[in-house]
Amino acid sequence: MILKILIYPDPKLRHKSLPVSNIDEDITVLVGDLFETLYSDSNNCGLAAPQVGRHHRITVIDTSEKGNDPLCLINPEILESGGLFKGLEACLSLPGAYEEIQRAEWVRFRAQDRNGKPYEMKVEGLLAECVQHEIDHLDGILFIDKLSSLRRKRALNRMKKYLQKNK
Ligand code: ZN
């Protein structure tokens, strides 16, 4: 099922998500729906459960061009990070908004996959940016929080214009 994505400034985007203690049917269905929603538009590269109003520490990511490299992060934790990466970021909860954000160039993280199996992974570049962006969602943080007030205003204006055009 394609889920409805909450749009900024929905206060639910600001709630902290809780760890998943048990991968039951409810969570399995949610993970499937998150992927279906992610793949419903080929421009998407990541989606976090709180963006659909479900406050579990789950995010799904696919930064591959063909959309054939799904990554599910349940209870993700960044263990180590380094370097500096600047990239244009956008977010499904802020349609039309984008700005350049500085993040770590690489991160090593630990998470569980959709079956609950723990794994560790080191990622870099775009994928590392995406992992950091999505983990932020689990703590109620949006990419515009990382901007100066001037650039935040610019990003929100882009969103306003986009929403007016696409009414
Ligand atoms: Zn986002």
Side-chain angles (χ1 to χ4, degrees), residues 50-138:
Q51 289 180 277
V52 298
R54 301 286 301 274
H55 292 89
H56 303 290
R57 298 189 80 80
I58 304 174
T59 164
V60 297
I61 293 174
D62 192 336
T63 55
S64 69
E65 235 164 80
K66 288 185 178 161
N68 55 5
D69 194 12
L71 202 57
C72 176
L73 285 67
I74 298 181
N75 300 325
E77 260 179 275
I78 289 181
L79 303 169
E80 223 187 328
S81 64
L84 192 65
F85 182 84
K86 281 188 203 175
L88 278 186
E89 282 187 37
C91 180
L92 289 171
S93 293
L94 291 120
Y98 59 89
E99 265 298 329
E100 189 180 81
I101 304 279
Q102 268 190 28
R103 300 210 184 247
E105 207 278 321
W106 61 267
V107 297
R108 194 164 63 81
F109 69 90
R110 177 164 60 203
Q112 285 161 265
D113 70 11
R114 57 194 301 171
N115 302 310
K117 198 174 159 226
Y119 67 97
E120 240 182 70
M121 208 170 160
K122 190 179 172 190
V123 293
E124 56 178 33
L126 178 64
L127 183 51
E129 173 194 285
C130 197
V131 164
Q132 295 169 82
H133 176 120
E134 298 308 328
I135 292 179
D136 274 351
H137 274 300
L138 306 181

